[in-house]
Amino acid sequence: MRIGFDDAIGVAPPSTVDLDRLIARRRRIRWLQRAGAAALAVVAVAALGTVTTLLRGDGRAPTAAPRATASAVPNLEKETLEQRTARFATVLPAILAERLPGVTLIGQLPVTPEHRGTGTVQRGAAEPPEIRYSWTATVSAPAGRAELMVLISNRLLVATGEVLDKISRQECRTVPRGLESCEVVTGPNGERIQRRVSDLDRSGPGQVLVGGVDAILPDRTSVTVTCPYGGSPGSTEPVLSLDQLTAVATDSRLAW
Amino acid sequence: MKAQDEAAFREYVTTRMERLRRTAYLLCHDWHTADDLVAITLDKLFQRWRRVREMDEPDAYTRRVLLNTWLDERRRPWRREFTREQLPDGPAPAAPAPADEQGLLTLLRALPRHQRAVLVLRFFCDLSVEETADTLGLPTGTVKSQTSRGLEALRSVIHIDDSGVRT
């Protein structure tokens, strides 16, 4: 008989180790890491596209972008960059409050590289520069919590050539792999809107579904609004519907 | 992680949970802390499960993680023991053990931590001197001397021979 540690311990109390919770927590962390990496990849591809556009522009006019009216002709000088980003930072919470009843803005997540208020600004090197303003916020809706991302860009106002032609058409085949559904519609004010659902982790065991809307406003401002499904891997319930994302993306207050 | 990996992990843990908890308890003498140690160990194990699964001796790896977790936790300031007037709420008490068995645990608790770990690995986990040395990262000579000193201390409560067999 060995020393008898088992006898000394006696009967153990019930375990408080929750294996399900432990696995769920680790799975969630892994999912967030994957989603983050996928989002970074999308941003990197978009940035590459921007550089290509700026470098290869050949002056051809866009063929499918909404026709700008005289009153909507962009005036890049009407506001400074600081004024414009401050305006976006102010109107975005207001748009959420007005257009998405039942949805609560919990917090905003400013990210690098250049923090301006509640969003970030990326500025291309060419003249006139392509500028992207991105704004991220955590929202709570009846279906759960999620990170809402809004990207406002003047890329159609400064791009030229084939790339401009291509992005103006908003064709579904131009979006990244993992497309689950996609449609291009025209809004009531002439907005060209692509509504899509993508699986960011098609190669993985579960789905990481993200709803996204790309809108080209009448003044040719480009607005992208995305929101992941459910907040957990494999969720098939959107936190915000495509209609809700569209309502945000087509708000005229986001015009450049 | 694939579903089959996760299922294998669950099966592995389920069959070893009780042993892990009791090993952790012998090291720390507190069921709350023991469960914390096991949870942290399983979390680390889950992150490396694909590699661990392919090991020849996954149990040895698991034990090593548990031991290191315990030693790491002991170094943290919030784990240092202090006295208080009233005891905090604890888990449901285990069934009381006989007086000499309680004395055994009390003595074990009083031993230096590496000596305690050596005794637990050798006489609760049934590891050889070499396996114990490998798990703790100590020379075999140190394991032998720690075993000898530890057994000497326990002999004041129970009668055991040099191989840890109770007489």
Side-chain angles (χ1 to χ4, degrees):
Chain A
M1 180 181 166
R2 283 290 185 182
I3 287 177
F5 285 131
D6 260 326
D7 293 338
I9 295 170
V11 180
S15 170
T16 59
V17 180
D18 189 339
L19 190 58
D20 290 333
R21 192 173 169 190
L22 185 148
I23 291 176
R25 177 175 166 273
R26 201 37 74 183
R27 203 188 288 153
R28 181 175 166 77
I29 289 172
R30 192 163 294 174
W31 177 79
L32 286 172
Q33 287 171 340
R34 278 186 186 162
L40 277 176
V42 169
V43 169
V45 169
L48 189 64
T50 302
V51 172
T52 309
T53 304
L54 294 175
L55 293 177
R56 290 182 50 200
D58 59 5
R60 283 174 53 187
T63 56
R67 189 178 292 277
T69 62
S71 61
V73 170
N75 178 2
L76 297 178
E77 303 304 323
K78 71 182 178 185
E79 283 176 312
T80 64
L81 182 56
E82 287 73 18
Q83 289 170 333
R84 185 170 283 116
T85 56
R87 172 166 61 85
F88 290 149
T90 304
V91 300
L92 278 163
I95 291 171
L96 257 61
E98 293 170 23
R99 297 254 182 164
L100 307 181
V103 175
T104 310
L105 178 63
I106 296 174
Q108 295 160 10
L109 288 176
V111 288
T112 52
E114 193 178 355
H115 178 213
R116 300 281 173 96
T118 56
T120 61
V121 171
Q122 288 178 302
R123 183 186 176 116
E127 288 295 335
E130 177 182 338
I131 299 169
R132 290 166 179 263
Y133 174 80
S134 63
W135 184 86
T136 310
T138 305
V139 294
S140 175
R145 282 187 181 191
E147 297 298 319
L148 176 73
M149 193 182 87
V150 180
L151 189 68
I152 309 167
S153 162
N154 67 344
R155 60 180 182 154
L156 280 115
L157 302 175
V158 298
T160 55
E162 286 179 11
V163 175
L164 173 61
D165 190 14
K166 188 176 173 184
I167 58 180
S168 298
R169 286 198 297 270
Q170 294 274 60
E171 288 175 346
C172 285
R173 67 167 183 252
T174 64
V175 300
R177 286 190 311 161
L179 204 60
E180 295 291 309
S181 67
C182 181
E183 61 174 350
V184 177
V185 297
T186 302
N189 298 311
E191 303 97 339
R192 193 158 179 85
I193 306 162
Q194 185 198 84
R195 296 150 53 98
R196 63 176 184 277
V197 175
S198 308
D199 180 2
L200 294 184
D201 189 31
R202 178 164 270 188
S203 61
Q207 290 180 312
V208 180
L209 295 177
V210 175
V213 170
D214 281 337
I216 299 174
L217 303 186
D219 76 329
R220 289 197 286 159
T221 300
S222 170
V223 182
T224 299
V225 181
T226 61
C227 187
Y229 275 39
S232 63
S235 176
T236 55
E237 289 296 319
V239 173
L240 297 180
S241 67
L242 286 180
D243 286 342
Q244 288 176 307
L245 299 183
T246 305
V248 173
T250 55
D251 193 288
S252 60
R253 283 170 285 183
L254 298 182
W256 199 257
Chain B
M1 184 181 285
K2 290 178 182 172
Q4 62 192 40
D5 287 333
E6 193 177 303
F9 177 75
R10 282 178 186 278
E11 187 186 343
Y12 176 84
V13 170
T14 305
T15 54
R16 287 159 179 83
M17 178 70 91
E18 198 53 32
R19 201 69 183 161
L20 279 174
R21 289 185 72 222
R22 293 172 89 82
T23 305
Y25 178 77
L26 282 176
L27 294 170
C28 67
H29 295 270
D30 171 73
W31 285 109
H32 264 322
T33 310
D35 280 349
D36 281 354
L37 290 177
V38 171
I40 295 169
T41 300
L42 296 183
D43 189 45
K44 290 176 179 173
L45 204 62
F46 186 69
Q47 292 177 62
R48 302 169 180 85
W49 177 241
R50 280 188 190 168
R51 247 183 326 134
V52 175
R53 203 181 167 191
E54 293 168 0
M55 291 177 179
D56 294 333
E57 293 282 347
D59 290 343
Y61 179 81
T62 306
R63 271 194 300 269
R64 194 176 301 130
V65 173
L66 179 68
L67 260 295
N68 288 335
T69 303
W70 173 59
L71 292 171
D72 286 348
E73 289 290 302
R74 294 257 312 167
R75 293 187 194 110
R76 297 181 201 278
W78 56 84
R79 289 293 190 203
R80 288 177 194 149
E81 293 177 14
F82 54 92
T83 55
R84 53 174 78 182
E85 288 185 6
Q86 291 187 332
L87 290 173
D89 291 339
D100 62 334
E101 309 292 11
Q102 289 289 3
L104 176 65
L105 288 184
T106 306
L107 261 182
L108 185 69
R109 182 178 185 175
L111 296 178
R113 60 184 185 195
H114 273 105
Q115 215 169 92
R116 194 190 314 173
V118 165
L119 289 186
V120 170
L121 289 177
R122 291 228 43 215
F123 304 121
F124 182 70
C125 300
D126 285 328
L127 300 192
S128 66
V129 170
E130 290 73 22
E131 289 167 331
T132 303
D134 185 49
T135 302
L136 290 171
L138 296 173
T140 52
T142 305
V143 171
K144 285 177 185 171
S145 62
Q146 298 274 23
T147 305
S148 174
R149 284 183 203 144
L151 289 177
E152 195 57 44
L154 297 187
R155 279 192 185 110
S156 62
V157 179
I158 54 173
H159 299 286
I160 38 181
D161 63 20
D162 287 342
S163 61
V165 175
R166 204 162 177 173
T167 56

